[in-house]
Amino acid sequence: MDAKVQSLKAFLAGAGRVALVEVAGTKGSTPRETGAFMLVSGSATFGTIGGGQLEYMAIDKARQMLFSPLEGGEERSANGREKANDLAFSATNARSHSEGQAAERPEGVVSEGTARASSTAAATPPDGFAATLPSRGRDIRATLDIALGPEIGQCCGGRVELLIRLVDAALEAKLVAAAAAEEAQLPHVYIFGGGHVGHALASAVALLPVHVVVVETRAEALEGMPDTVETKLTPMPEAMVREAPAGSAFVVLTHDHALDFLIVAEALKRRDAAYVGMIGSRTKKATFRNWFLKSADGNEAEFARLVSPIGGGAVKDKRPQVIAALAAAEIMTALAAHAIAPAAPSKARRGKAMAG
């Protein structure tokens, strides 16, 4: 829970001086989208703008900026990072240095005059990461306009504009706030059951940009879950379905088939669910269908939304880790599709709205 925010804070706290590298613009095929960013310190990085030679060039330029000579001495903040609003570059020297670096690149890699450090904004950064211009000194930044062609050993064919800035206290706060806001908007994945497959699935999905919740009736089954996974111990796991936010994914794989059926029936009533999956065989699915239609007030349209067995049938391998990998890909595909689909109100919520 809040894993990205905690990781970001830990990096910023221990990195010393840091530069922010953002994808400010793209043309054609590129490895990352506008708004993607990474942080660069003297010895480490956080995040990625796509890897490969593009990233190496950005890291190299960021570290040039981090350790370039400064005018007027140095002043450090409480956590050891130099305040960008108390630093001043020599604009003439910075331009000469940057243009010299651009000239060293193969022709066509960095456009003439696009690698530079200046006292004014070189490009408008993506929303959420725009730092306020310092009240004192100059804003230290550079832009790189890089063609992703054979000259740098990449074949994407597109073009990327990067904005590089030194991180001051204000920008650091904006980065943390933006990460927290992004974390709050992550889709939820509810895993009902902490058995062998539940543990493997929780570990696999915890690496993805989702908020993972493992729900169990047995306390011992929740032991050993990844630190970033939220756990819920409850005697009525089906109630968690009703409390889940819209767009959630529900994966049901408890130790009890009757409990599976109760949870799945509740999840299928959520028309705003992105995914409802149940582990088991085709026979189990057929048994559930018979019960769902006759005893749980279900209908064929609702039943048709059930994914079972989870992970598809292309790979005939029942090892927990394999099932988890296949199911994780299936869940992410469903979440992505749901994110661009028109919103559908849940049956329960629509009933309440009509009653009101």
Side-chain angles (χ1 to χ4, degrees), residues 35-335:
F37 76 95
M38 69 184 299
L39 296 171
V40 179
S41 73
S43 60
T45 63
F46 178 93
T48 179
I49 56 168
Q53 194 64 23
L54 168 68
E55 195 159 288
Y56 293 140
M57 293 171 68
I59 293 171
D60 179 58
K61 181 60 184 175
R63 286 178 176 157
Q64 289 174 23
M65 293 174 61
L66 286 173
F67 300 108
S68 291
L70 302 172
E71 293 180 349
E74 299 180 351
E75 180 180 344
R76 294 188 177 273
S77 58
N79 65 0
R81 186 171 303 115
E82 294 173 353
K83 297 180 182 177
N85 62 342
D86 288 332
L87 303 178
F89 256 147
S90 165
T92 301
N93 291 340
R95 288 195 185 93
S96 297
H97 175 73
S98 299
E99 289 168 359
Q101 290 297 321
E104 293 172 6
R105 303 293 183 189
E107 184 179 355
V109 174
V110 182
S111 299
E112 181 181 358
T114 57
R116 61 186 179 275
S118 69
S119 61
T120 58
T124 302
D127 290 340
F129 297 108
T132 303
L133 290 177
S135 57
R136 292 180 290 157
R138 281 186 282 254
D139 188 21
I140 303 168
R141 59 179 59 199
T143 58
L144 296 176
D145 187 2
I146 303 173
L148 304 178
E151 297 89 346
I152 64 169
Q154 294 192 221
C155 56
C156 299
R159 198 173 197 94
V160 175
E161 183 180 8
L162 302 178
L163 173 63
I164 308 175
R165 291 178 287 165
L166 298 188
V167 176
D168 63 0
L171 182 52
E172 178 177 323
K174 288 178 180 290
L175 287 167
V176 172
E182 180 183 347
E183 196 102 13
Q185 296 300 316
L186 291 178
H188 284 55
V189 176
Y190 288 82
I191 299 173
F192 293 87
H196 297 300
V197 178
H199 265 79
L201 183 58
S203 297
V205 180
L207 300 173
L208 303 172
V210 296
H211 182 100
V212 187
V213 184
V214 178
V215 185
E216 253 291 354
T217 59
R218 306 165 298 167
E220 66 274 13
L222 295 175
E223 296 176 0
M225 288 292 172
D227 293 339
T228 56
V229 169
E230 182 180 359
T231 57
K232 292 286 187 180
L233 180 64
T234 174
M236 297 181 62
E238 66 274 17
M240 294 296 301
V241 175
R242 295 188 288 269
E243 299 173 8
S248 294
F250 304 99
V251 196
V252 184
L253 28 81
T254 78
H255 62 291
D256 186 330
H257 284 196
L259 184 57
D260 283 355
F261 287 7
L262 286 174
I263 299 169
V264 172
E266 196 72 48
L268 290 177
K269 299 297 180 182
R270 290 290 301 263
R271 296 186 182 184
D272 58 0
Y275 175 92
V276 180
M278 178 177 69
I279 197 169
S281 64
R282 290 184 175 85
T283 300
K284 180 180 177 181
K285 184 177 182 179
T287 302
F288 170 77
R289 176 182 176 276
N290 184 59
W291 173 84
F292 182 63
L293 297 179
K294 292 182 177 180
S295 304
D297 194 29
N299 58 56
E300 289 287 0
E302 292 170 338
F303 173 77
R305 296 171 49 232
L306 174 63
V307 177
S308 185
I310 60 173
V315 179
K316 305 299 182 182
D317 193 323
K318 297 183 179 181
R319 286 175 289 182
Q321 294 81 1
V322 176
I323 296 173
L326 297 171
E330 187 173 78
I331 292 164
M332 287 305 297
T333 300
L335 288 172

